[in-house]
Amino acid sequence: MRHVESDDRPERPTLVILAAGQSTRFGRAKQLEPVGPGGGSLLEYAVYDALRAGFGHFVLVVRERQRDEFEARLRPMRGAGISLSLACQRLVHPDLVPLAPPGRVRPWGTGFAVLAAATSLRRRGAFAVCNADDFYGRVAYERLAHALAAPPPGIRAFAVTYSLADTLSAFGGVSRGLCEEQPDGTLLRMTEGLDLRLDGAAQPTGEGADASAVRPDVVGCTPSGAAIRVGADSQACMGLWGFFPDILPLLSRRFESFLAASPGIDDEFYLSETVSNLVVAERTRCGLVPAGKGWKGVTFPGDHEGVAVSLRQLTDAGAYPVDLWTPHVHAEPVRSAQASLFGPPQALPGGVATAPGRINLIGEHIDYNGLPVLPMALDRHIHLEFEALAHATVELEGDSAHGPFAFRLDRAAESAPAGHWSNYVRAAARGLLDHGVELRRGIRGTVTGTVPVAEGLSSSSALVVASALALLHANEEQVEALELAALLARAERHVGVQGGGMDQAASLCGQEGHALRIDFEPLRVTPVPVPEGWRWIIASSLTRAEKAGAVRELYNERRAQCAEALERVGRTSWLEVMEADQAEFATILAGAQKSLPLTLSRRFRHVATEGRRVIEAERALRGENMSAFGRLMNASHASLRDDFGVSTPALDEIVGVARDAGAAGARLTGAGFGGCAVALCGADEAKAVIEALIDGFYAPRGGVGRRALFVADASNGAIVTSE
Ligand code: GLA
């Protein structure tokens, strides 16, 4: 568990509220339904109770199309100073589900919803998960907070339980997680009970019947149809759980197995079933936290009234204010929030810096020659979740392949061994310091990401950009975007690749729905709209283009060859070559072929013709002439393959398969030597192109990897969201 600085009490836990359900049975979106006397929804009561129990952060998992509605409803809570973020649950997930199975509409289930919130959770300590449409009661959150603050050794999860009889509905059968307990008080197994109701036949009747003596059993069935009969006092889990972040990799693994088993179109990955499986199959220990009687929920429309009456009674009794979020009322729960259990909130600025990778549509290996290029920012990001430190060190951790590191900002210029990921963060710090930015505060945080690494999609520049933004934010400093892009491009060269300035500018200046024409000398970014109805398909060649390795030498060699070729034909800039009219351009090219050695003449031809293709491609994009754009992509690939020598047989094959399947054009993207190709196709052709790639390229190589194949959208540039 993470601890706050200078205080060995654990950080306040986070509450993840699952609010992405479809509410089919209830008939309308019930998560925001007003239930309390002041119009509060059940999820607002959950936040209110959890806040009083000591929870410090809230993550709401919602559906994308509900996002705005939730944002509007959350405003009063944010206004009351509550740390709250939204996570969207989609059918695709960059790491886990690159493509939604055809026909799938139903969300993947509660276990997957927790994974959708994972980015906001990894850096934090303990967290709880609850459903937005249940009322668990203050006692439940208090007991869970206590359990999370001091878990018995070996416990990785907690299930809050209620007496089953108190969770039934008078309006119909309900589904509940029925818990069986081990002698040590932990969960033995959980069975999903469906259509549970009191056994009507055994209802005590007649005068003088002693209800407690003959309390009827609860009957129902299992998902496979087997009959269930259990005592009314059995423990039922209502979806309130406690976890530590180490549960997340276990959940991802289980979800991968769920997907690998080709689930039916409506099958869901349930959190309760998954925890139960972890307990049974992997001996994960899950403590049980009985929470008494306080649960109330809305399963059927008829339940609504009962919950509303209870909330009115609780409000009248002084348990809740009528309006949950008026500032003077809110101050009380925050002040009294279990100060002894959890450390104080952090005062220094923190947040999440999010920077996209990029896909270059056309204009390869010409940015460092000062010629315009045409990339777009990708909807895949590096996230750096950070808190500012009072001292000037950087302490970051990543995933299993990117272990923790720390360095002092006054020693940012000292590099770690070649290939170590900290060098990109050091480069960002060094760039800012060289630029005169005063970095008195450091950062501590976690880096996660959805940009495939070493695939030619600029994960490294996205990391540089995210690091710089986090450092600037922590120090309450600002640098204008283009200036920042330019200084970061220079700084990243300290890592060893003598790159141009495309990647950092694309990551910082991306615009949704737009490609970016980027000019250099001086740096300028001009968004160019991408016409509707076209798709960019990204396909990995399954060979990493590791810039810290051999690729570095090959890349730097190309850069040097370009400079030499230009000098040997007696020119001082490539822009000057671009200014030539058609006839003069042909003469320059012919002259270069004659005067230069073969390799240099080929490099020359690539840069000169690619520069022209970018200008034509921009024109094609603006004129919505996407077939012309596709042809230019094809020509670009041929030039990169034959003249620039940066393609590979696998990239050539992908490009060929995509074009044969109907793509308007395809080419390698990024520096080459492995990495990805990008194919352009009409929305109607996308499916056929993807299937052709799966069958023609990936199937013979063992199938599509997790990150191998996806459709990219042009997204916005990097941002920092404050906590
Ligand atoms: C890498 C570099 C860029 C650019 C491309 C090739 O991504 O970082 O500056 O040169 O290769 O176009």
Side-chain angles (χ1 to χ4, degrees):
M1 178 177 291
R2 282 173 45 76
H3 289 82
V4 293
E5 260 179 295
S6 68
D7 188 334
D8 61 3
R9 285 170 300 174
E11 188 178 347
R12 287 163 189 267
T14 300
L15 178 63
V16 179
I17 305 177
L18 306 185
Q22 302 200 93
S23 322
T24 40
R25 195 148 39 141
F26 190 69
R28 53 186 191 265
K30 59 181 173 178
Q31 296 91 349
L32 293 172
E33 190 77 10
V35 197
S41 59
L42 288 182
L43 81 84
E44 289 172 82
Y45 281 91
V47 173
Y48 189 87
D49 282 337
L51 201 62
R52 284 192 296 180
F55 283 75
H57 311 277
F58 299 87
V59 180
L60 256 90
V61 182
V62 301
R63 290 190 171 210
E64 196 138 43
R65 60 180 155 75
Q66 297 172 324
R67 195 187 175 104
D68 292 347
E69 201 181 344
F70 273 94
E71 282 289 0
R73 271 305 279 269
L74 300 179
R75 226 164 275 139
M77 284 188 252
R78 290 226 172 93
I82 295 168
S83 160
L84 208 140
S85 54
L86 288 186
C88 280
Q89 186 187 323
R90 303 182 173 93
L91 277 180
V92 293
H93 182 289
D95 290 333
L96 300 167
V97 201
L99 291 169
R104 175 105 199 175
V105 186
R106 203 183 179 83
W108 289 111
T110 44
F112 183 76
V114 175
L115 292 173
T119 313
S120 314
L121 294 173
R122 280 199 192 98
R123 195 180 62 87
R124 300 194 187 287
F127 64 96
V129 176
C130 72
N131 297 323
D133 42 21
D134 289 68
F135 177 90
Y136 296 95
R138 180 173 177 175
V139 171
Y141 291 105
E142 281 172 1
R143 292 194 182 157
L144 185 55
H146 272 277
L148 290 170
I155 297 272
R156 297 169 100 168
F158 291 102
V160 174
T161 63
Y162 297 83
S163 165
L164 177 58
D166 296 328
T167 70
L168 301 178
S169 170
F171 298 95
V174 297
S175 307
R176 302 287 179 245
L178 303 174
C179 300
E180 288 171 70
E181 191 173 346
Q182 310 225 51
D184 66 357
T186 62
L187 182 68
L188 172 65
R189 80 173 71 85
M190 185 177 311
T191 315
E192 182 70 1
L194 308 181
D195 198 25
L196 296 168
R197 48 185 96 216
L198 282 178
D199 180 8
Q203 288 287 2
T205 51
E207 222 172 292
D210 178 351
S212 65
V214 278
R215 198 160 186 197
D217 284 344
V218 174
V219 292
C221 62
T222 65
S224 60
I228 288 183
R229 170 175 291 276
V230 287
D233 292 333
S234 306
Q235 294 191 71
C237 171
M238 303 306 298
L240 177 57
W241 300 89
F243 296 110
F244 303 98
D246 59 3
I247 199 79
L248 294 170
L250 299 181
L251 273 185
S252 312
R253 256 202 354 246
R254 289 259 153 190
F255 183 70
E256 279 172 21
S257 317
F258 165 84
L259 277 191
S262 307
I265 203 94
D266 282 335
D267 287 350
E268 291 188 36
F269 176 68
Y270 293 109
L271 184 60
S272 52
E273 198 178 321
T274 309
V275 176
S276 183
N277 289 340
L278 286 171
V279 168
V280 175
E282 297 190 25
R283 297 181 185 280
T284 301
R285 293 182 69 216
C286 173
L288 294 176
V289 181
K293 280 174 158 294
W295 181 87
K296 300 174 207 329
V298 184
T299 308
F300 298 98
D303 295 326
H304 190 269
E305 195 45 43
V307 179
V309 169
S310 303
L311 286 181
R312 155 77 56 202
Q313 285 165 354
L314 286 165
T315 307
D316 290 346
Y320 298 101
V322 174
D323 179 352
L324 296 174
W325 308 120
T326 49
H328 69 280
V329 178
H330 177 66
E332 182 275 326
V334 168
R335 259 201 310 275
S336 66
Q338 301 278 319
S340 58
L341 266 185
F342 301 106
Q346 301 289 292
L348 294 175
V352 184
T354 299
R358 63 99 191 94
I359 179 90
N360 192 12
L361 306 180
I362 195 159
E364 220 63 86
H365 284 277
I366 59 172
D367 59 347
Y368 52 76
N369 291 312
L371 295 184
V373 293
L374 201 62
M376 69 185 204
L378 210 54
D379 50 346
R380 306 237 154 179
H381 301 89
I382 295 292
H383 304 279
L384 198 172
E385 191 166 358
F386 66 95
E387 60 199 352
L389 299 178
H391 48 280
T393 63
V394 171
E395 302 169 24
L396 293 184
E397 59 184 339
D399 57 18
S400 52
H402 299 90
F405 67 82
F407 66 87
R408 276 174 40 186
L409 281 166
D410 60 355
R411 297 169 72 166
E414 295 168 14
S415 301
H420 195 278
W421 70 292
S422 73
N423 285 335
Y424 293 103
V425 185
R426 290 168 189 272
R430 189 170 170 185
L432 293 173
L433 291 165
D434 289 351
H435 191 70
V437 180
E438 225 188 299
L439 299 179
R440 283 160 290 110
R441 292 183 192 143
I443 50 171
R444 175 186 294 154
T446 308
V447 177
T448 53
T450 53
V451 192
V453 175
E455 291 280 8
L457 302 177
S458 265
S459 60
S460 44
S461 297
L463 174 59
V464 171
V465 167
S467 307
L469 290 183
L471 283 166
L472 286 169
H473 187 85
N475 286 280
E476 292 160 290
E477 294 279 355
Q478 282 183 351
V479 177
E480 193 272 323
L482 288 179
E483 205 174 340
L484 185 60
L487 80 88
L488 292 179
R490 283 195 299 277
E492 200 178 320
R493 289 184 202 130
H494 291 304
V495 185
V497 173
Q498 298 303 306
M502 164 170 66
D503 307 344
Q504 303 76 7
S507 183
L508 275 160
C509 304
Q511 195 169 314
E512 203 175 298
H514 290 71
L516 308 166
R517 173 184 162 141
I518 304 180
D519 288 76
F520 305 91
E521 303 167 11
L523 187 61
R524 264 171 306 141
V525 176
T526 316
V528 184
V530 174
E532 292 282 324
W534 291 87
R535 301 281 178 274
W536 307 101
I537 295 172
I538 315 300
S540 164
S541 65
L542 305 178
T543 311
R544 288 164 72 87
E546 202 83 65
K547 275 208 259 169
V551 172
R552 175 165 76 179
E553 303 315 321
L554 293 168
Y555 183 100
N556 291 344
E557 181 190 48
R558 298 289 181 289
R559 183 174 179 143
Q561 288 167 336
C562 294
E564 191 186 338
L566 184 71
E567 200 190 323
R568 283 172 70 156
V569 298
R571 303 272 164 177
T572 50
S573 100
W574 289 98
L575 279 172
E576 185 192 312
V577 176
M578 288 301 109
E579 275 156 17
D581 64 22
Q582 199 71 23
E584 198 187 342
F585 185 69
T587 314
I588 296 173
L589 272 189
Q593 302 315 300
K594 247 192 244 135
S595 65
L596 293 175
L598 186 61
T599 303
L600 289 191
S601 74
R602 286 184 172 160
R603 306 294 188 251
F604 187 93
R605 187 165 56 190
H606 169 71
V607 176
T609 57
E610 184 79 348
R612 294 223 148 189
R613 280 189 286 272
V614 171
I615 308 305
E616 285 175 44
E618 184 193 349
R619 203 175 303 133
L621 203 57
R622 289 191 187 279
E624 306 199 0
N625 184 352
M626 298 309 270
S627 342
F629 196 100
R631 283 195 296 277
L632 290 161
M633 290 173 78
N634 293 343
S636 166
H637 184 79
S639 175
L640 287 160
R641 181 190 60 209
D642 303 335
D643 282 347
F644 217 64
V646 295
S647 189
T648 63
L651 284 166
D652 296 343
E653 198 180 327
I654 291 180
V655 162
V657 171
R659 283 185 208 154
D660 289 348
R667 55 182 291 279
L668 71 84
T669 183
F673 312 108
C676 288
V678 53
L680 166 68
C681 59
D684 293 342
E685 277 73 57
K687 194 161 169 276
V689 172
I690 288 172
E691 280 171 7
L693 286 167
I694 292 174
D695 295 345
F697 184 80
Y698 294 107
R701 291 167 173 82
V704 190
R706 278 211 233 144
R707 295 176 157 180
L709 184 61
F710 61 95
V711 177
D713 281 323
S715 85
N716 285 326
I719 48 161
V720 177
T721 37
S722 321
E723 293 202 331

